[in-house]
Amino acid sequence: MPAKVPRNFRLLEELEKGEKGLGADGCSYGLTDGDDVMMCNWNATILGPPHSVHENRIYSLNIYCGDSYPDEPPSVQFTSRVNLPGVDQRTGKVELSKLQRVASWNRDFTMEKILIALREHMAHPSCRKLPQPPEGTNF
């Protein structure tokens, strides 16, 4: 059985990857406040996927990693308005169970994997042509 990486070590790995830009194309993330020693509050951006209504748009999100992350998923919320199934249209909160790639959460998943899943969701044939709120509007 492999060793269980402690929460803060895991978050430091994710922070380093995010800060060095080693993550997936079209997604970025980092700590909201560099003084957040518990590494709870993160911000992220997703570049809208090409060949969709999201192309050339930049979406901002907040991610909160609670004490039980990565055993439990973080909470994810768009701050930029977006019309997507699985995103609460009043608050921007993302229902991770609606994203196939991360629906069955396990501790090996990362914030980056969630962002990739959201970007893929935007590009899915059922979502890529959905009418979107005006660019630049926020929840």
Side-chain angles (χ1 to χ4, degrees):
M1 183 169 147
K4 186 174 173 180
V5 177
R7 176 187 181 277
N8 284 2
F9 288 3
R10 166 65 177 278
L11 286 169
L12 282 170
E13 287 174 13
E14 291 192 55
L15 178 61
E16 183 177 12
K17 189 174 182 181
E19 283 184 338
K20 290 185 176 177
L22 302 174
D25 285 345
C27 302
S28 64
Y29 54 95
L31 280 173
T32 301
D33 178 1
D35 293 333
D36 180 3
V37 294
M38 294 306 294
M39 295 180 281
C40 294
N41 296 297
W42 297 70
N43 50 37
T45 57
I46 297 174
L47 300 178
H51 314 295
S52 73
V53 294
H54 307 283
E55 188 170 26
N56 297 322
R57 287 187 175 212
I58 299 172
Y59 294 96
S60 299
L61 303 92
N62 290 328
I63 302 173
Y64 177 78
C65 296
D67 293 341
S68 31
Y69 179 82
D71 294 315
E72 298 291 325
S75 64
V76 180
Q77 182 174 7
F78 277 90
T79 56
S80 304
R81 278 209 173 274
V82 64
N83 178 23
L84 275 177
V87 176
D88 186 306
Q89 291 305 296
R90 293 165 305 172
T91 64
K93 184 163 174 50
V94 177
E95 192 175 332
L96 296 178
S97 64
K98 302 287 185 193
L99 302 174
Q100 186 175 6
R101 186 185 276 251
V102 293
S104 297
W105 184 261
N106 79 58
R107 80 176 334 269
D108 293 328
F109 292 173
T110 61
M111 288 180 272
E112 179 185 38
K113 189 165 187 122
I114 293 169
L115 297 174
I116 292 167
L118 281 165
R119 194 162 190 258
E120 287 174 351
H121 191 50
M122 291 174 173
H124 188 273
S126 66
C127 300
R128 71 171 162 229
K129 294 189 188 239
L130 288 174
Q132 294 300 312
E135 194 168 356
T137 56
N138 294 319
F139 284 104

